[in-house]
Amino acid sequence: MMNKLAFRNVKRSARDYLVYFMTMAVVTALMFSFHTLLFSKDVQKLYDRVHMMAVMTGLATFFIVLIVAWLMNYMVRFILEKRSREFGIYLLTGMKKKEIARLYIRENVMTGMGAFIAGMGPGFLLQQILLSVFYSMVQMDYHIHLEFNKTCILMTAACYGGCYLLALLRCGRRFKKMNIHDLMESQKQNEVISEKHEKINRMLFPFSIFVFVLFGIFLFCYKNWDTGILTAFLTGLVLSIYLFYTGIAAWISCYVRKKGNAVYRGHNLFLLRQFSCKVKTMSFSMGTLTALFTLALMGSAVAFMFNHFQNQVLINKYPFDVQIYSSNTDEDFHQEIALLEKETQVREIYTYQIYENGTNQVNAYLYTHLKEFGSDYRKADGTPDWEEINRNDGMVYCDYDTCMGISDYNHLRKMLGLSEVILKEDEYAIHMKERVWRQTGDFSDQIEINGSGGRLSFSGYYTESFSQDGHNGGDYILVVPDALLEEMKPYYAELVADIEGKAPGNLRRLLDDIEEEDDIEEDEEKRNTRGHVMTEDAADDRDGEDLGNSCSGSDSIVVYAVKNLVRDNLVPEIKYMLSSIIFPLFYVGLVFLCVALTVLSVQQLSDSVKYRFRYRVLSQTGYGRKEIDRIILKQLLAYYMCPAVMALVISGLVTVYAGNRFNFYTGIHTSPAVYFLMGAALFFGIYAVYFTVTYIGFKRNTERE
């Protein structure tokens, strides 16, 4: 009997809470598909650093479980309040409170299980789409096949069921404390609107706007941000979001009471009263929804930033098929060459040396002028801190300026398909990253390169991609005439290779194994006659002074400086690391957006039955059906757009600021507004789906007799 009653109640409320059911099915599908990245054996075999994807997806799942638990608790409590009078009547007819509680829990379990089962089907489809996109991003082939991973299914069920269980237990405790009077009056609690202190509350509206403007000014103009100021300001921003809705509801009420010019124009009075009453009763919920919308927009925008980086910059970051570094200037790379000839079809192998002239003029200039370093290498009066520069703890640049002969430089340019550079015997050039050059501009008057005939004149800058993350210098390389190299000291050795086709997937690991074998041999040589390993200091004394010939460049968003670069191995691995950021951000953003839209939709669909009488009155006063539909559209647009517009403003400011910083550190030329527009397009695409479903359901409910 109870099962039949529960099933009948679920069917009866399906129309009003269809959006909730749909969202829980979508959340199930998203959870299952993204958990595949955690537990898929195929993904785990791809890279040694699979734990990074697991950590980021697990962290995203933690936040999603929290917000889904909040949604379930909100909906269970909301439905209880809407049906409280029904449950009160059950008590009056003789049903026990425990029986009613079991009935309500049974209904929610049916709804939850139905949504979970309905979501698993699309979950398998989304799993294949997600894996196809993932494999495409890391440049690997994927053959579609369903993956029934028990751990993945159990993980999804545990997260989903745990959220439901917590919501039902909390609701059960609340239900036990209610009596017949509480149940009969519970539905009216949100209908009681207090209009006390309206004149004071309306001041919160301009105050919150002032805080938003101040936030934007501080974001773009204030430079000395620290943890304390950031925490205080974000706290104030969050509070102002919640105060905004209290303020705007009070401002509209006062405006209506004063009979403003727009009140009696058309049907504005009806819409203003509807909107202010709803916002006033839902001010806290509207603030929470705005915060969720903001996080969803920012998360998707940041995901688009990293996706744009890997598509625009990463491919050009490593121009050579293979490049190998050695701190030993006499290295002939015979082992590496033999391995390359064995494992690949070699078109060309070229070895050369990087030189130093005993100066660090360029290093010092970059350390003291690039914004990445701030004032780390400057004294309080702004002059270079030579002690800190010479200490060179960061090893961003080598101890001395790095130089290359013009013949080696032109040979490398030819391998890359670039035009030849002509240098006179008394000239030099600088090849540097475009990102760095855009900051420094022409600084040739700040450095002095001397040859046997005196000071060399500056020929020009070149900014093509040239593998400058520790190989052909860090950020830059000085290009000098070959005759000048006789006056310089070899600094380190390099090998570049042009190979036919795609490199084997394990080529970089094989090259690393050669290096590890060499390190073992060096350790053996450092053992003294008693069989103990010598200290580093003793080894340095034996081998001579440390050359300080290792660097990584000043990149800070994506830094990947290794001795053995194999582009076909390296780019997919970095893309995998970036994917561990991109996918969880989209995951969190989609779930947060769906959760927030569900609350908006359910509130309106549930109240549509109550609004039926009001729209019937409008019909009796002469309004036609089409005109009433337009009023409904305006009412829903105002209700839906209020939190969306505020979220767009806040997230837009943050995204443009973050996008400028991202472009600055990565060298991307794309306008930061593009990232925001791409995130907003995804946002409003999903927004339109929920709005359309709500609008159709609202109209249907108001038309029903």
Side-chain angles (χ1 to χ4, degrees):
M1 179 65 184
M2 295 296 289
N3 289 334
K4 290 183 179 180
L5 181 60
F7 183 71
R8 190 202 66 180
N9 289 340
V10 169
K11 287 176 59 180
R12 187 182 61 185
S13 59
R15 285 188 174 183
D16 290 340
Y17 306 115
L18 179 62
V19 173
Y20 172 56
F21 182 90
M22 179 182 70
T23 297
M24 295 315 301
V26 170
V27 168
T28 301
L30 288 171
M31 276 188 177
F32 175 74
S33 59
F34 278 92
H35 286 166
T36 302
L37 297 177
L38 280 172
F39 302 107
S40 173
K41 294 180 180 179
D42 293 335
V43 174
Q44 291 174 357
K45 293 176 182 177
L46 290 179
Y47 300 106
D48 296 333
R49 296 180 179 175
V50 70
H51 63 274
M52 185 174 181
M53 177 68 79
V55 169
M56 295 301 296
T57 306
L59 187 62
T61 299
F62 171 75
F63 287 106
I64 284 171
V65 166
L66 291 181
I67 199 63
V68 170
W70 174 81
L71 172 65
M72 290 179 175
N73 179 69
Y74 179 90
M75 289 303 306
V76 169
R77 183 172 46 111
F78 177 78
I79 296 172
L80 175 62
E81 290 177 356
K82 290 297 179 181
R83 297 181 58 196
S84 57
R85 185 172 298 179
E86 174 189 344
F87 294 144
I89 294 173
Y90 286 164
L91 284 175
L92 287 173
T93 58
M95 289 182 66
K96 295 180 180 180
K97 191 180 295 185
K98 288 184 178 180
E99 293 177 337
I100 299 174
R102 289 196 197 102
L103 173 66
Y104 185 59
I105 290 174
R106 198 169 298 177
E107 292 174 11
N108 279 277
V109 169
M110 287 182 180
T111 302
M113 289 182 64
F116 182 81
I117 295 171
M120 287 302 293
F124 280 103
L125 175 61
L126 189 58
Q127 176 196 68
Q128 299 306 306
I129 296 174
L130 189 67
L131 288 174
S132 297
V133 173
F134 173 75
Y135 275 80
S136 175
M137 289 178 66
V138 299
Q139 299 180 352
M140 296 187 69
D141 295 329
Y142 176 70
H143 302 286
I144 294 177
H145 66 281
L146 292 179
E147 189 168 334
F148 294 92
N149 191 302
K150 294 181 180 179
T151 308
C152 181
I153 297 174
L154 289 175
M155 178 71 173
T156 305
C159 294
Y160 185 90
C163 293
Y164 244 114
L165 181 62
L166 290 174
L168 291 176
L169 288 175
R170 186 173 180 182
C171 182
R173 287 196 301 270
R174 184 177 181 181
F175 194 92
K176 290 178 181 178
K177 297 178 181 179
M178 298 180 72
N179 52 38
I180 295 177
H181 177 269
D182 293 335
L183 288 170
M184 299 299 289
E185 296 296 324
S186 177
Q187 191 173 352
K188 296 181 180 180
Q189 288 180 3
N190 287 335
E191 297 177 6
V192 179
I193 301 175
S194 174
E195 296 192 355
K196 296 180 181 179
H197 311 298
E198 291 293 288
K199 292 183 179 180
I200 298 176
N201 288 342
R202 70 177 179 177
M203 299 305 297
L204 297 176
F205 176 58
F207 172 75
S208 59
I209 298 296
F210 171 76
V211 173
F212 295 146
V213 174
L214 190 65
F215 172 77
I217 294 174
F218 263 60
L219 195 61
F220 288 94
C221 300
Y222 192 69
K223 305 299 181 183
N224 300 319
W225 289 92
D226 56 34
T227 305
I229 293 176
L230 182 62
T231 303
F233 204 78
L234 288 179
T235 302
L237 178 65
V238 172
L239 288 175
S240 65
I241 290 175
Y242 287 95
L243 295 177
F244 171 83
Y245 291 101
T246 301
I248 194 172
W251 186 85
I252 292 175
S253 296
C254 292
Y255 182 79
V256 171
R257 196 177 298 130
K258 288 183 178 181
K259 301 179 181 179
N261 294 331
V263 170
Y264 298 107
R265 192 175 301 161
H267 36 258
N268 287 351
L269 177 61
F270 177 82
L271 292 173
L272 288 172
R273 292 295 295 174
Q274 294 277 79
F275 180 75
S276 64
C277 292
K278 193 62 183 176
V279 170
K280 189 172 295 185
T281 58
M282 282 189 64
S283 59
F284 183 81
S285 296
M286 293 287 275
T288 303
L289 299 183
T290 301
L292 291 176
F293 285 147
T294 302
L295 292 174
L297 282 165
M298 289 193 299
S300 59
V302 172
F304 280 120
M305 285 182 198
F306 280 100
N307 184 62
H308 198 62
F309 170 80
Q310 70 174 8
N311 292 331
Q312 187 182 92
V313 175
L314 189 58
I315 302 300
N316 297 323
K317 194 174 180 65
Y318 308 104
F320 298 101
D321 290 340
V322 179
Q323 187 159 13
I324 302 172
Y325 162 95
S326 175
S327 59
N328 180 11
T329 57
D330 296 325
E331 179 65 65
D332 60 3
F333 299 102
H334 65 279
Q335 291 178 290
E336 289 83 354
I337 293 173
L339 177 65
L340 290 173
E341 291 177 344
K342 176 184 177 183
E343 298 291 336
T344 66
Q345 294 291 328
V346 177
R347 288 177 179 168
E348 181 182 2
I349 291 178
Y350 186 71
T351 61
Y352 57 99
Q353 291 176 322
I354 302 296
Y355 293 80
E356 53 92 359
N357 60 358
T359 67
N360 63 345
Q361 301 174 77
V362 181
N363 293 344
Y365 185 86
L366 295 179
Y367 272 135
T368 54
H369 286 79
L370 291 186
K371 295 180 180 179
E372 287 89 333
F373 304 117
S375 59
D376 293 345
Y377 296 93
R378 295 197 302 264
K379 295 181 180 179
D381 60 358
T383 58
D385 187 345
W386 286 104
E387 182 179 350
E388 190 68 29
I389 291 172
N390 291 328
R391 186 183 298 119
N392 197 16
D393 291 334
M395 296 297 291
V396 175
Y397 303 121
C398 298
D399 284 354
Y400 300 109
D401 294 341
T402 49
C403 304
M404 174 185 289
I406 183 63
S407 59
D408 292 331
Y409 179 64
N410 277 327
H411 192 103
L412 295 176
R413 288 181 66 89
K414 182 179 179 182
M415 292 180 69
L416 296 176
L418 302 175
S419 59
E420 183 181 1
V421 171
I422 305 298
L423 276 186
K424 296 179 181 179
E425 291 301 319
D426 60 345
E427 290 181 335
Y428 76 96
I430 300 178
H431 194 118
M432 64 193 310
K433 293 178 181 176
E434 183 184 8
R435 174 186 63 81
V436 179
W437 180 79
R438 289 210 308 267
Q439 278 196 64
T440 62
D442 184 5
F443 61 94
S444 58
D445 58 336
Q446 303 294 317
I447 60 176
E448 183 176 338
I449 308 298
N450 294 312
S452 57
R455 182 172 179 175
L456 302 184
S457 59
F458 179 63
S459 173
Y461 289 98
Y462 300 90
T463 58
E464 298 94 341
S465 179
F466 202 58
S467 188
Q468 296 189 291
D469 291 320
H471 286 268
N472 294 328
D475 286 352
Y476 77 95
I477 193 80
L478 297 172
V479 184
V480 298
D482 290 341
L484 189 58
L485 298 180
E486 297 178 1
E487 304 174 17
M488 297 183 177
K489 291 176 61 177
Y491 211 9
Y492 58 88
E494 288 281 339
L495 175 149
V496 295
D498 183 14
I499 63 175
E500 192 84 40
K502 191 174 181 180
N506 63 341
L507 182 59
R508 191 167 73 88
R509 182 176 58 80
L510 294 174
L511 291 170
D512 291 341
D513 290 341
I514 293 176
E515 181 185 340
E516 291 176 4
E517 292 174 3
D518 292 341
D519 291 341
I520 293 173
E521 292 177 3
E522 287 182 13
D523 290 339
E524 291 294 332
E525 292 176 0
K526 291 179 182 179
R527 292 182 182 275
N528 61 19
T529 56
R530 295 183 181 180
H532 297 292
V533 177
M534 300 174 66
T535 63
E536 276 301 321
D537 293 338
D540 288 344
D541 290 339
R542 178 178 171 180
D543 297 334
E545 289 186 353
D546 183 12
L547 293 175
N549 59 357
S550 177
C551 59
S552 60
S554 62
D555 288 358
S556 54
I557 297 295
V558 178
V559 181
Y560 208 101
V562 292
K563 292 184 177 181
N564 301 314
L565 287 178
V566 180
R567 183 174 56 187
D568 291 336
N569 297 166
L570 189 61
V571 170
E573 186 171 348
I574 297 178
K575 283 193 170 187
Y576 169 78
M577 295 169 63
L578 292 175
S579 297
S580 65
I581 300 174
I582 295 171
F583 279 81
L585 284 173
F586 275 126
Y587 179 26
V588 172
L590 287 173
V591 173
F592 277 24
L593 179 58
C594 291
V595 166
L597 287 172
T598 300
V599 174
L600 282 177
S601 298
V602 168
Q603 280 281 347
Q604 286 298 312
L605 289 174
S606 180
D607 288 344
S608 61
V609 178
K610 178 175 63 179
Y611 294 153
R612 187 189 308 161
F613 172 75
R614 302 175 187 179
Y615 284 105
R616 189 180 301 153
V617 171
L618 289 179
S619 177
Q620 292 171 350
T621 58
Y623 282 87
R625 188 66 241 177
K626 291 185 178 180
E627 197 168 6
I628 290 176
D629 288 345
R630 285 196 295 270
I631 295 175
I632 292 174
L633 181 63
K634 291 179 180 180
Q635 177 184 336
L636 292 180
L637 278 174
Y639 179 72
Y640 265 74
M641 294 306 297
C642 187
V645 169
M646 182 179 291
L648 285 170
V649 171
I650 298 172
S651 61
L653 289 173
V654 176
T655 300
V656 170
Y657 175 80
N660 279 323
R661 297 290 86 199
F662 188 82
N663 288 356
F664 172 78
Y665 286 114
T666 60
I668 294 179
H669 301 285
T670 305
S671 171
V674 172
Y675 306 128
F676 174 68
L677 293 175
M678 293 170 71
L682 176 64
F683 174 85
F684 277 107
I686 300 174
Y687 214 81
V689 173
Y690 275 83
F691 180 84
T692 302
V693 171
T694 305
Y695 177 64
I696 294 172
F698 195 100
K699 284 203 312 176
R700 184 191 61 218
N701 289 345
T702 55
E703 292 171 357
R704 193 188 308 168
E705 292 298 332

